[in-house]
């Protein structure tokens, strides 16, 4: 539960010390050369939190090389916003951050939220899902207007999203793709699911051609009104359906609109909260800490192009 009176949410120095304890658990490390021969600069004219590396002789703070670098937003507001976005099951809109944190413009809150979503994206190569023979559910959905359901007001856009849910670990991995074709689906399944896994899908024909790659392939026929296999009650995709229920309620009720160029970050945000929830042993405080840990090594810039403003990694 969020303790709004905590000093790290109101005091810049306390927030900086907290971030240093999260990103530098074993002491300061230079973000440029990764050297650990570091001294803290404490002169009267020196900004708080500045360190100097004895190897590359460059000054730095804990925000260098993170999503917080060169931000004019006070660090304690970053820490609070990270906690709010991590703790809210269906997300927090940029307008809500704008009102709660007292920013000068909505655009500031919007860009801040996107940088926090970038911190939620996984780093490195996590272990394959379904290791040891566990069940992995795979399902797909559309966000936006489905084919054949265009309205008179406009054709709209459809966005294809496929999600993989590991029943044992509770981890979710979702991908936005141009279309649900075997050529798009197969590489994602092969890269993220162990060959030992039990694959659980619906009756879509594309899964028939890849299911043989795994130890077992259970298929449930939604077209016949079947949501759990009559022969084997462990064969279903209800966990993935529950994930989509949370995702769609958040996107429609909280965010309401999302451009296709940003959808992958929103999807990563819902993956992050689902994978790091109470059921997997992660509470709000631990989740907020994971967000801050994920801020390292990631930068997003907001720059102007001929076509308008874009976010660039």
């Amino acid at each position: 539960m969020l303790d709004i009176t905590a000093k790290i949410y109101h005091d810049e120095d306390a927030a900086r010390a907290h971030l240093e304890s999260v990103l530098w658990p074993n002491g300061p490390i230079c973000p440029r050369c990764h050297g650990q021969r570091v001294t803290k600069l404490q002169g009267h004219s020196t900004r708080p939190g500045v360190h100097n590396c004895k190897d590359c002789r460059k000054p730095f703070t804990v925000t260098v090389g993170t999503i917080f670098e060169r931000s004019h937003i006070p660090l304690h507001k970053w820490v609070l916003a990270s906690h709010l976005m991590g703790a809210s099951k269906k997300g927090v809109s940029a307008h809500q951050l704008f009102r709660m944190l007292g920013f000068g413009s909505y655009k500031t809150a919007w860009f801040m939220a996107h940088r926090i979503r970038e911190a939620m994206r996984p780093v490195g190569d996590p272990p394959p899902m379904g290791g040891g023979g566990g069940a992995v559910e795979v399902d797909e959905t559309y966000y936006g207007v489905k084919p054949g359901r265009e309205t008179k007001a406009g054709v709209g856009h459809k966005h294809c999203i496929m999600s993989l849910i590991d029943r044992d670990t509770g981890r979710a991995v979702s991908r936005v793709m141009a279309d649900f074709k075997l050529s798009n689906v197969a590489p994602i399944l092969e890269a993220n699911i162990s060959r030992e896994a039990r694959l659980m899908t619906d009756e879509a024909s594309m899964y028939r051609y890849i299911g043989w790659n795994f130890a077992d392939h259970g298929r449930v026929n939604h077209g016949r009104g079947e949501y759990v296999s009559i022969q084997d009650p462990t064969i279903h995709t209800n966990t993935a359906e529950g994930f989509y229920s949370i995702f769609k309620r958040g996107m429609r009720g909280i965010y309401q609109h999302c451009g296709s160029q940003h959808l992958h970050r929103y999807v990563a945000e819902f993956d992050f909260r689902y994978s790091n929830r109470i059921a997997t042993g992660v509470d709000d405080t631990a989740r907020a800490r994971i967000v801050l840990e994920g801020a390292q090594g990631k930068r997003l810039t907001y720059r102007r192009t001929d076509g308008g403003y874009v976010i660039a990694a």
Side-chain angles (χ1 to χ4, degrees):
M1 185 175 181
L2 175 62
D3 179 11
I4 196 65
T5 63
K7 200 172 182 180
I8 59 173
Y9 302 130
H10 299 275
D11 183 81
E12 184 79 1
D13 293 332
R16 184 183 302 105
H18 176 65
L19 187 60
E20 289 177 352
S21 70
V22 172
L23 300 185
W24 297 338
N26 301 314
I29 299 176
C30 178
R32 298 182 177 90
C33 69
H34 306 290
Q36 292 183 288
R37 298 196 311 131
V38 173
T39 57
K40 186 174 183 178
L41 304 182
Q42 302 186 42
H44 293 294
S45 60
T46 304
R47 291 182 294 111
V50 177
H51 296 73
N52 189 71
C53 178
K54 293 182 179 180
D55 294 328
C56 67
R57 300 181 181 277
K58 297 287 187 179
F60 64 91
T61 67
V62 70
T63 62
V64 173
T66 71
I67 62 170
F68 315 118
E69 185 175 352
R70 297 191 179 184
S71 172
H72 297 289
I73 302 171
L75 199 54
H76 63 273
K77 291 189 177 184
W78 274 108
V79 174
L80 178 56
S82 298
H83 192 120
L84 292 171
M85 290 190 64
S88 302
K89 188 172 184 177
K90 293 186 286 291
V92 179
S93 69
H95 269 296
Q96 185 69 13
L97 291 176
F98 170 65
R99 291 190 295 267
M100 292 179 67
L101 302 182
F103 291 132
S105 69
Y106 164 76
K107 186 175 73 174
T108 300
W110 179 86
F111 185 37
M112 180 190 211
H114 272 296
R115 286 199 271 188
I116 293 174
R117 289 186 189 100
E118 186 69 14
M120 292 178 175
R121 298 181 70 184
V123 179
D125 297 318
M129 307 171 81
V136 179
E137 297 182 19
V138 179
D139 201 5
E140 66 283 340
T141 191
Y142 289 97
Y143 171 71
V145 180
K146 288 186 179 181
R149 294 191 180 180
E150 294 82 359
T151 63
K152 294 181 179 179
V155 174
H157 299 281
K158 64 172 181 128
H159 305 292
C160 308
I161 301 171
M162 186 176 71
S163 297
L164 289 60
I165 310 291
D166 190 324
R167 286 188 195 166
D168 290 342
T169 64
R171 184 160 64 95
V173 174
S174 302
R175 296 289 184 268
V176 180
M177 57 183 65
D179 197 4
F180 293 129
K181 297 189 298 186
L182 182 62
S183 58
N184 293 332
V185 171
I188 297 174
L189 268 59
E190 292 173 350
N192 291 279
I193 303 179
S194 169
R195 293 297 181 95
E196 305 172 331
R198 297 179 64 218
L199 185 67
M200 302 295 168
T201 70
D202 57 23
E203 72 277 14
S205 59
M206 62 183 170
Y207 295 124
R208 295 180 182 178
Y209 299 100
I210 194 171
W212 62 268
N213 285 328
F214 306 99
D216 186 25
H217 181 198
R219 302 171 71 240
V220 61
N221 196 324
H222 293 327
R224 293 200 304 244
E226 186 181 69
Y227 291 93
V228 177
S229 172
I230 299 174
Q231 290 79 18
D232 185 350
T234 66
I235 298 176
H236 62 80
T237 58
N238 293 340
T239 313
E241 295 287 354
F243 170 78
Y244 285 139
S245 176
I246 297 171
F247 170 74
K248 291 182 178 180
R249 278 182 287 167
M251 293 301 293
R252 292 169 180 166
I254 304 298
Y255 298 124
Q256 300 182 19
H257 172 75
C258 170
S260 58
Q261 70 273 30
H262 303 304
L263 183 58
H264 64 288
R265 292 195 183 93
Y266 286 91
V267 169
E269 175 188 355
F270 283 89
D271 278 350
F272 171 82
R273 278 195 299 267
Y274 190 86
S275 302
N276 297 280
R277 62 194 193 280
I278 293 294
T280 62
V282 183
D283 61 13
D284 290 349
T285 301
R287 197 178 308 112
R289 187 179 184 90
I290 296 172
V291 175
L292 295 180
E293 289 172 349
Q296 200 165 30
K298 298 175 181 176
R299 284 292 312 278
L300 284 181
T301 57
Y302 190 63
R303 57 189 175 84
R304 185 179 182 89
T305 65
D306 292 339
Y309 288 97
V310 297
I311 290 180

